[in-house]
Amino acid sequence: MAYTISKLTDYSAAALERASAELFSALGDEASTVKNEGDWKIFRDRWMARKNGVLTQINDLWLKAAPKEAKREVGLRVNLIKEQVEQQVADAKVRYQIPELPISSATSEISETNLRRDAIGKAGIIDITLPGIRRPIGAEHPVVKTTNEMVRVFQRLGYSVAEGPVVETDYYNFESLNFPPNHPARDTQDTLFIAGQQAKPQRERLLLRTHTSPVQIRTMEKMRPPLRIVIPGTVHRNDPLDASHSPMFHQIEGLAVDTNITFGDLKGTLDHAMKEFFGSSVKTSFRPSFFPFTEPSAEMFVSCFICGGSGRRGTDPCRPCKQTGWIEILGCGMVDPNVFEFVKDNGYDPRKVSGFAFGMGADRIALLKYGVDDIQLFFQGDVRFLRQWA
Ligand code: PHE
């Protein structure tokens, strides 16, 4: 006999439970008889028709008739029933289209979605009513973003990108860059050495590169002059970590070699690059320095882009430039002829070519650019921090 909705006389939880169970069982039975579109339409209308469908009747006979104090409880039930009816009506349609789909019951442990997905897999169709699979879109890490922006500045000047290994040999990290074995200049590099290398000749021993400069030699071995390259990469030094040091950090290196390259080319190129990167109002300043692989060598400063070079922010002292109005950005210099000697056979005769090189810390520039006060934040992977660049 077909199910009919009866009035409720008892609004207790147990009575409601019994009445809903009866309804769900009728719903399941009727859903199982749907075999084609015609059946389905009848089924749908019987349960969902606005005029006199089961849902409408429940609304009138159960909810509207309920005494005030039972309304809340009955309302919750009716909502649940409504969801189930809608689900069963939708499923019944999929089922006569894809016959393998088992009939679900309101109490089924097996998720309807899984069943449906299985059925769809078998039938080879796509159910556009399923919610989509959300793929969260990542964002560039602030250090990567800074690196890419700086690299692009040089690419626009005609530089190509070169890269090299992070685990490097003593030869490329030191010897060919004019740090002779046992030279005290090596001490400045706080090198992390790979263990167990003693049996090898010194130049073959492995270490974590302390700078991106080894890629200068590696590239000159492969490519003849003229050469213009920009080298982004990860480097390591045995520095204890604090707000401005990390044992792993990032550099952006540059090398230009051609006939008649002068210190004027170095200054002009870097001044232009800094104006591109930080804004056209920054000034650059070069101060003498020392690196084994450049001669002469310099440190380049840019006028503080935070305080505009005044050393003050309103009445407060400017912290990033330590009130000097200048921020040290990179090391640079003219390629030392001794370095060219190591690649002389590939066209780098120091009597014929000259060049300049520079290297800067990407993390440091990112800290300054984004006003971050602790380098550790870049490497802790906290999405609340990183999301700010999304
Ligand atoms: N390699 C140097 C460093 O890490 C930077 C540098 C690169 C200096 C190229 C001069 C030329 O300190």
Side-chain angles (χ1 to χ4, degrees):
M1 208 189 90
Y3 170 74
T4 50
I5 299 96
S6 47
K7 273 194 183 155
L8 292 179
T9 45
D10 178 356
Y11 290 93
S12 70
L16 282 171
E17 182 64 45
R18 234 178 298 120
S20 339
E22 205 185 326
L23 180 142
F24 284 141
S25 135
L27 177 65
D29 289 349
E30 293 182 28
S32 67
T33 63
V34 172
K35 296 281 179 283
N36 51 46
E37 201 184 347
D39 292 350
W40 179 75
K41 280 194 171 148
I42 295 167
F43 174 59
R44 179 196 60 189
D45 294 345
R46 165 155 156 74
W47 288 84
M48 291 175 62
R50 223 166 260 175
K51 232 178 163 185
N52 233 21
V54 175
L55 287 181
T56 307
Q57 291 181 48
I58 291 178
N59 216 37
D60 294 341
L61 294 176
W62 293 11
L63 188 58
K64 283 193 184 147
K68 221 173 168 191
E69 62 280 6
K71 277 239 187 318
R72 207 185 104 81
E73 189 61 29
V74 179
L76 289 173
R77 287 273 165 185
V78 169
N79 277 342
L80 206 79
I81 291 168
K82 189 165 169 259
E83 275 171 27
Q84 279 298 326
V85 168
E86 284 169 357
Q87 183 76 58
Q88 289 276 13
V89 168
D91 287 349
K93 183 172 196 177
V94 179
R95 207 159 39 235
Y96 75 74
Q97 292 170 336
I98 312 162
E100 300 95 307
L101 187 68
I103 296 153
S104 68
S105 72
T107 52
S108 170
E109 298 264 310
I110 308 160
S111 113
E112 187 63 36
T113 314
N114 283 343
L115 290 174
R116 199 151 18 140
R117 204 174 286 141
D118 282 347
I120 285 150
K122 281 183 206 135
I125 63 162
I126 292 168
D127 180 353
I128 59 161
T129 65
L130 283 176
I133 297 164
R134 197 183 289 271
R135 285 183 198 279
I137 296 175
E140 267 181 342
H141 187 281
V143 175
V144 173
K145 195 176 163 78
T146 303
T147 302
N148 287 344
E149 282 170 16
M150 189 63 85
V151 164
R152 276 195 286 273
V153 167
F154 287 96
Q155 284 181 307
R156 287 197 288 271
L157 290 173
Y159 285 58
S160 354
V161 177
E163 286 181 299
V166 176
V167 178
E168 193 46 284
T169 61
D170 185 284
Y171 176 77
Y172 287 111
N173 198 76
F174 289 126
E175 192 180 335
S176 62
L177 289 167
N178 200 31
F179 292 81
N182 304 318
H183 193 280
R186 291 179 170 222
D187 294 349
T188 63
Q189 301 272 315
D190 302 306
T191 312
L192 290 160
F193 293 94
I194 306 283
Q197 304 286 304
Q198 291 80 352
K200 294 181 184 166
Q202 177 157 8
R203 54 167 54 185
E204 287 170 29
R205 292 184 197 162
L206 298 174
L207 45 81
L208 297 181
R209 68 177 177 194
T210 58
H211 50 180
T212 39
S213 304
V215 187
Q216 291 189 26
I217 298 286
R218 285 184 173 275
T219 311
M220 286 192 284
E221 284 178 349
K222 280 188 292 206
M223 295 163 75
R224 300 174 69 84
L227 186 71
R228 279 167 182 75
I229 50 169
V230 57
I231 309 156
T234 307
V235 302
H236 293 78
R237 287 191 198 182
N238 187 18
D239 283 331
L241 49 168
D242 63 25
S244 53
H245 292 87
S246 160
M248 187 278 295
F249 59 105
H250 301 87
Q251 290 192 335
I252 305 158
E253 180 106 8
L255 173 69
V257 184
D258 205 336
T259 46
N260 299 319
I261 296 254
T262 67
F263 202 88
D265 296 314
L266 179 158
K267 287 183 75 173
T269 303
L270 291 178
D271 184 74
H272 169 83
M274 295 303 119
K275 288 182 163 60
E276 282 277 293
F277 187 86
F278 292 112
S280 56
S281 59
V282 299
K283 297 194 188 94
T284 52
S285 164
F286 292 80
R287 307 181 189 176
S289 184
F290 174 81
F291 299 101
F293 39 92
T294 48
E295 181 61 32
S297 303
E299 260 145 25
M300 189 196 72
F301 291 69
V302 299
S303 56
C304 182
F305 41 87
I306 291 143
C307 66
S310 67
R312 306 200 69 79
R313 297 175 82 181
T315 52
D316 294 332
C318 180
R319 271 209 296 153
C321 68
K322 302 192 190 86
Q323 304 180 59
T324 63
W326 293 95
I327 293 181
E328 189 191 329
I329 290 288
L330 55 77
C332 58
M334 301 306 291
V335 178
D336 193 301
N338 291 345
V339 171
F340 285 137
E341 287 292 338
F342 286 92
V343 283
K344 198 156 104 182
D345 294 344
N346 200 30
Y348 294 89
D349 182 339
R351 285 164 308 182
K352 295 194 181 127
V353 297
S354 58
F356 65 79
F358 56 88
M360 61 190 108
D363 322 74
R364 200 176 119 73
I365 294 173
L367 286 176
L368 292 164
K369 175 163 182 179
Y370 297 117
V372 173
D373 53 17
D374 187 349
I375 195 172
Q376 300 307 322
L377 287 163
F378 286 151
F379 306 121
Q380 287 162 344
D382 186 333
V383 281
R384 290 169 302 179
F385 172 74
L386 297 173
R387 203 176 274 141
Q388 297 176 82
W389 285 271

